[in-house]
């Protein structure tokens, strides 16, 4: 039976690759966009432009232009001002299916049985759907999240970008009772692109060519930021957790989102105690990935688009 997914995203270099892997290995019933790596207008335009390049007829619904509380946070130092630096995509001709991603998520959860939400941006749209209709959390098969970390953060010492950008939304999702899979930084930093992949993609068609350009751009950025020409393939992990679950080792854990701490706001606090009884789990937390096999699946996804 086909795996039905909605991809909620903020493209974003690794979001773009997650969308490719999702379209290759699942039935993507819709894309919803959220403010994150770049403002909503940019992430939505990027999703449309990517869909057009790849020839997908997947509807794109734009959603939240900012977090539940506070000001939007973006990541131009990583993804460029447009969110998809280096892509060089023409302005899309196609239009958004709607500007009501929350309505789309709710409607899709009613129409489509066993629907998974792959959430690879700030969790604002998903939280708004739960706040509007708490039964959404039970109706969906689950939510596969790229977000948080069972170790260190990447925005602050403790907070990962997608959760840091909207901690209140993440708290709603982790408290919702939905089946959750969490691919945090402790997992996603284990699988990285590097320059050696570029020749495998360049010249292999419009989508692989795009990914070759995206890798070149983000490896330049990483060279500046961390001194290494490689970049974590964060968001595809949340897709692989559904399409290739045998490649990712998950453990049930209690996860809560810190909303108050001066040093820890936006941290996913994962119960990893071993000597005491753990709190009841609310998520499957990813710890290990078969890096070689997963990388081949990702490349297959890109080359198959
Ligand atoms: C996450 O933040 C974004 O910049 C990436 O697209 C990914 O979803 C990694 O922290
Ligand atoms: Ca993302």
């Amino acid at each position: 039976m086909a795996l039905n997914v909605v991809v909620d995203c903020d493209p974003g270099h690794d979001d773009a690759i997650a969308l490719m892997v999702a379209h290759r290995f699942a039935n993507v019933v819709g894309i919803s966009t959220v403010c994150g790596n770049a403002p909503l207008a940019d992430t939505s335009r990027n999703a449309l432009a990517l869909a057009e390049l790849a020839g997908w007829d997947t509807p794109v619904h734009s959603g939240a232009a900012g977090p539940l509380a506070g000001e939007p946070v973006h990541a131009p130092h990583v993804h460029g001002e447009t969110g998809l630096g280096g892509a060089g995509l023409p302005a899309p001709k196609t239009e958004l299916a709607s500007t009501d991603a929350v309505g789309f998520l709710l409607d899709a959860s009613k129409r489509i049985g066993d629907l998974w939400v792959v959430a690879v941006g700030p969790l604002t749209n998903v939280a708004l759907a739960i706040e509007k209709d708490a039964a959404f959390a039970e109706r969906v098969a689950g939510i596969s999240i790229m977000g948080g970390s069972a170790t260190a953060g990447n925005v602050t010492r403790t907070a990962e970008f997608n959760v840091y950008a909207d901690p209140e939304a993440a708290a709603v999702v982790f408290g919702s009772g939905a089946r959750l899979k969490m691919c945090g930084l402790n997992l996603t930093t284990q699988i990285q692109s590097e320059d050696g992949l570029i020749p495998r993609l360049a010249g292999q068609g419009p989508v692989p060519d795009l990914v070759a350009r995206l890798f070149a751009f983000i490896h330049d950025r990483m060279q500046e930021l961390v001194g290494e020409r490689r970049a974590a393939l964060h968001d595809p992990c949340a897709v692989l957790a559904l399409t290739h679950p045998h490649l990712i080792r998950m453990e049930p854990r209690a996860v809560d989102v810190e909303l108050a701490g001066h040093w820890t706001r936006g941290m996913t606090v994962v119960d990893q105690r071993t000597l005491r009884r753990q709190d009841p789990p609310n998520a499957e937390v990813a710890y290990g990935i078969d890096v070689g096999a997963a990388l081949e699946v990702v490349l297959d996804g890109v080359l198959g688009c």
Side-chain angles (χ1 to χ4, degrees):
M1 202 174 64
L3 171 70
N4 295 316
V5 301
V6 172
V7 182
D8 187 77
C9 56
D10 60 336
H13 287 67
D14 52 331
D15 301 75
I17 297 167
L19 284 166
M20 295 167 198
V21 177
H23 279 85
R24 172 79 173 82
F25 297 109
N27 178 37
V28 184
V29 301
I31 297 169
S32 48
T33 57
V34 66
C35 158
N37 287 321
L40 181 67
D42 293 307
T43 60
S44 303
R45 185 203 56 237
N46 293 341
L48 286 171
L50 180 60
E52 217 168 278
L53 180 81
W56 305 324
D57 58 4
T58 316
V60 179
H61 302 261
S62 69
L68 297 187
E71 295 301 313
V73 181
H74 308 305
H77 55 297
V78 178
H79 298 270
E81 291 293 336
T82 64
L84 216 48
L89 292 177
K93 296 190 191 75
T94 41
E95 298 202 344
L96 290 167
S98 86
T99 56
D100 181 17
V102 173
F104 168 70
L105 284 165
L106 290 172
D107 177 58
S109 72
K110 291 175 188 157
R111 278 190 295 112
I112 300 161
D114 290 331
L115 179 70
W116 276 89
V117 179
V118 178
V120 295
L123 288 158
T124 321
N125 290 338
V126 184
L128 287 168
I130 293 165
E131 284 187 338
K132 198 160 179 189
D133 177 2
F136 174 78
E138 289 156 29
R139 267 199 313 271
V140 292
I143 306 168
S144 184
I145 297 165
M146 187 287 129
S149 176
T151 52
N154 60 357
V155 180
T156 70
R157 298 177 203 181
T158 55
E160 178 278 333
F161 178 81
N162 288 339
V163 177
Y164 179 84
D166 196 344
E168 278 73 18
V172 168
V173 174
F174 278 95
S176 68
R179 180 177 177 192
L180 303 178
K181 290 180 184 249
M182 170 181 144
C183 290
L185 294 174
N186 60 295
L187 185 281
T188 62
T189 52
Q190 295 176 37
I191 175 167
Q192 309 239 349
S193 59
E194 30 121 20
D195 283 344
L197 299 178
I198 294 175
R200 290 182 63 180
L201 300 170
Q204 298 301 313
V207 173
D209 268 338
L210 167 66
V211 175
R213 296 197 296 279
L214 294 179
F215 281 169
F217 179 93
I218 205 158
H219 296 167
D220 283 349
R221 285 296 165 98
M222 288 299 138
Q223 177 78 59
E224 287 166 24
L225 290 169
V226 299
E228 291 179 353
R229 297 192 59 77
R230 53 200 186 102
L233 289 163
H234 301 288
D235 292 347
C237 292
V239 178
L240 295 179
L242 301 179
T243 59
H244 297 74
H246 57 287
L247 298 181
I248 297 182
R249 181 175 62 81
M250 300 234 165
E251 303 285 349
R253 293 282 185 265
V255 181
D256 288 286
V257 179
E258 177 60 74
L259 298 178
H262 175 70
W263 297 103
T264 52
R265 178 170 158 79
M267 176 183 183
T268 45
V269 182
V270 182
D271 191 350
Q272 302 189 108
R273 291 172 293 182
T274 52
L275 297 178
R276 299 187 198 176
R277 195 170 67 84
Q278 295 187 344
D279 292 332
N282 59 344
E284 296 158 59
V285 175
Y287 283 94
I289 182 164
D290 181 337
V291 174
L295 208 44
E296 288 306 316
V297 172
V298 170
L299 289 174
D300 185 11
V302 171
L303 288 163
C305 276

